[in-house]
Amino acid sequence: MIVAFLNQKGGVGKTTLALNLAALWADQGRRVTVLDADPQASALDWAQARSQAGLSRAFGVVGLPRETLHQEVPDLARGADHLVIDGPPRVAPLLRSALLAADLVIVPVQPSPLDGWASAEMLRLLDEARLYRPTLRARFVLNRCAARTVIARETQEALAAQDTGALRGTVGQRVLFAQAMACGQTVAELEPDGPAAAEIAAVGAEIEALDR
């Protein structure tokens, strides 16, 4: 399965979700490769921080911020159970290439009106990509949300009402995610029995179920 984490809006947590989910799947015995398609190279920075800390490699991270991504992905995907694409914000040609490369697009959205407006543009790009990839699937996922807030509930309901739909699982706004990213680790490594790891596990299982 080729899973792309995409959103034109920056700061929605694409890289954090991509890396934590990739680590989850790798820990479950899947062969996982992460493609860093963002010119900011945050996933590669995370992998470097991990190496400098002397930690074992959890999975391969490859930098590929090129508009030919969709042409190169099939060869890279042959050796992986899950190929995870960490997509770019606001780089239209790169984003379109990632859309054409993916089997499934996960669109992280924060609970705010601004994110809701940005997701309308993602829906348009998804429709455009389906002209060439009719089988392309997509789901929104609510990320960085405070639990039991009205705006989180309303955003989740609005996303679920879209034709694209939304994952049932959500991911909270937790300092642990930033701490893990800074030191090249994952939330499951820092707090294996904590709520952040549980949220990632639930979202990961839901994504894998979409491929069955």
Side-chain angles (χ1 to χ4, degrees), residues 33-84:
T33 299
V34 171
L35 293 187
D36 190 343
D38 188 344
Q40 295 179 2
S42 298
L44 284 169
D45 288 344
W46 175 89
Q48 184 177 15
R50 187 174 183 86
S51 176
Q52 290 173 343
L55 300 168
S56 62
R57 193 177 78 154
F59 46 81
V61 181
V62 179
L64 202 63
R66 296 203 288 263
E67 296 171 22
T68 55
L69 180 69
H70 60 288
Q71 297 170 341
E72 301 177 60
V73 156
D75 287 338
L76 292 166
R78 288 196 186 100
D81 297 311
H82 292 329
L83 192 69
V84 177

Side-chain angles (χ1 to χ4, degrees), residues 46-185:
W46 175 89
Q48 184 177 15
R50 187 174 183 86
S51 176
Q52 290 173 343
L55 300 168
S56 62
R57 193 177 78 154
F59 46 81
V61 181
V62 179
L64 202 63
R66 296 203 288 263
E67 296 171 22
T68 55
L69 180 69
H70 60 288
Q71 297 170 341
E72 301 177 60
V73 156
D75 287 338
L76 292 166
R78 288 196 186 100
D81 297 311
H82 292 329
L83 192 69
V84 177
I85 301 174
D86 178 24
R90 297 183 295 275
V91 185
L94 268 174
L95 194 145
R96 286 189 172 93
S97 185
L99 281 168
L100 293 174
D103 299 318
L104 172 66
V105 175
I106 300 297
V107 184
V109 177
Q110 295 181 113
S112 78
L114 288 175
D115 280 55
W117 298 331
S119 39
E121 177 63 13
M122 272 305 304
L123 289 171
R124 186 187 68 77
L125 290 171
L126 283 163
D127 286 341
E128 180 184 291
R130 287 189 179 111
L131 295 175
Y132 306 95
R133 294 284 308 276
T135 59
L136 177 64
R137 292 164 295 158
R139 293 290 188 277
F140 290 104
V141 61
L142 195 59
N143 190 35
R144 294 180 172 172
C145 59
R148 295 183 294 278
T149 61
V150 173
I151 192 168
R153 185 180 71 249
E154 290 179 346
T155 303
Q156 180 78 339
E157 290 171 353
L159 294 174
Q162 300 283 351
D163 290 341
T164 295
L167 298 179
R168 295 184 303 277
T170 64
V171 179
Q173 173 75 351
R174 303 184 190 281
V175 174
L176 189 68
F177 282 105
Q179 292 173 338
M181 285 293 294
C183 62
Q185 295 191 66

